[in-house]
Amino acid sequence: MLRLLSAEFYKLWKSVGFRTCLIVFLVQDIIYLISVSFVGDLLGMELTGFSQFQYLLSSFSGSTVSGMLFGFVAASLITSDYKSRDIQCAIAQGHSRGYILLSKVIVYVVAIWILSLEDIVIYIVGASMAGGFGHSINGDTVAYMARSLACEGFVMTMMYMTCVFVAFTLASKAASVSVNILLFFVIDLGLQIIPMIFDSKVLTKILNYLPFNSVREMSAYSIDWGHAGISLLVAGVYGLVMLTATWMVFRKRDLR
């Protein structure tokens, strides 16, 4: 298992796709901070480190853009090994499919956390330099930020197990990225349209428990732990279902 993890982290570091995402995130963050500093009043946005922390966390959702970026990372890390036959070689060397899957999931989770934390650090530092932190830094503030990162990070990680499932199922980078874009677009659009078509408070409440909606809830300063607790549980179950489905597909795939 350690040899597999070591090899996967090495491939992550050498991955052109991952490095490209790091650069893209850096450039878009800098452009965003510059644009907000000029037109912040027009956009109604406050350029402070604290406000940008809240904005960034609330913007992480099951959107088409998020699905495209993290789906691209999953495709780069997983599907390329089918083409290069690294997975077949690992199996031939005696590594179990379970360990191969687990090592790839771990490295994928680390990759999306690195990209997410890159955004968060740049937003907080850049906005704080331009407009101050905007909030008293005390124990409550630190606890809120730590709780938001932990809770939203968990929901987001479970939500993007979808990308892992798609990558292992299709085994094609182009197909995986395309399906993720379409899938997250349909889901994001559906979660907005369904409550408008079906005027049901019960349905709206149920939809708000889904990871694609509850991920936004975790960034709130005051949180309803009764609702949030159920949302975290639903996200955990969703992630396990995706991982189980991924394992079933990978276990039955002919890799001779």
Side-chain angles (χ1 to χ4, degrees), residues 39-216:
V39 296
D41 293 336
L42 180 63
L43 295 176
M45 299 184 68
E46 181 184 11
L47 188 65
T48 66
F50 188 79
S51 63
Q52 295 309 305
F53 172 82
Q54 288 188 311
Y55 165 75
L56 183 63
L57 262 65
S58 64
S59 68
F60 273 131
S61 64
S63 66
T64 305
V65 175
S66 300
M68 178 181 69
L69 293 174
F70 293 123
F72 177 74
V73 174
S76 298
L77 296 177
I78 295 170
T79 61
S80 59
D81 281 3
Y82 282 108
K83 186 176 181 180
S84 65
R85 298 190 63 83
D86 283 356
I87 292 180
Q88 290 89 330
C89 290
I91 293 174
Q93 291 171 2
H95 297 290
S96 72
R97 295 195 183 204
Y99 282 156
I100 293 172
L101 173 61
L102 181 59
S103 64
K104 289 192 173 295
V105 170
I106 290 174
V107 173
Y108 174 67
V109 170
V110 170
I112 63 175
W113 269 87
I114 289 175
L115 292 170
S116 301
L117 291 175
E118 178 192 20
D119 269 3
I120 292 170
V121 170
I122 293 174
Y123 274 39
I124 292 176
V125 173
S128 295
M129 290 173 63
F133 189 70
H135 201 279
S136 58
I137 304 177
N138 52 34
D140 290 340
T141 304
V142 174
Y144 155 70
M145 295 178 75
R147 181 264 294 170
S148 298
L149 284 174
C151 291
E152 180 158 343
F154 175 77
V155 175
M156 186 181 73
T157 300
M158 295 297 101
M159 183 170 67
Y160 286 110
M161 289 301 104
T162 306
C163 298
V164 175
F165 170 73
V166 171
F168 268 103
T169 301
L170 299 180
S172 165
K173 181 181 290 187
S176 297
V177 173
S178 300
V179 169
N180 275 311
I181 293 175
L182 178 62
L183 178 63
F184 281 89
F185 173 77
V186 171
I187 292 175
D188 197 39
L189 183 63
L191 290 175
Q192 296 179 45
I193 293 178
I194 290 176
M196 298 170 60
I197 298 176
F198 304 98
D199 186 14
S200 170
K201 292 182 178 180
V202 175
L203 177 61
T204 301
K205 186 175 182 179
I206 293 174
L207 292 177
N208 286 335
Y209 285 121
L210 299 180
F212 302 89
N213 275 331
S214 64
V215 69
R216 300 181 180 94

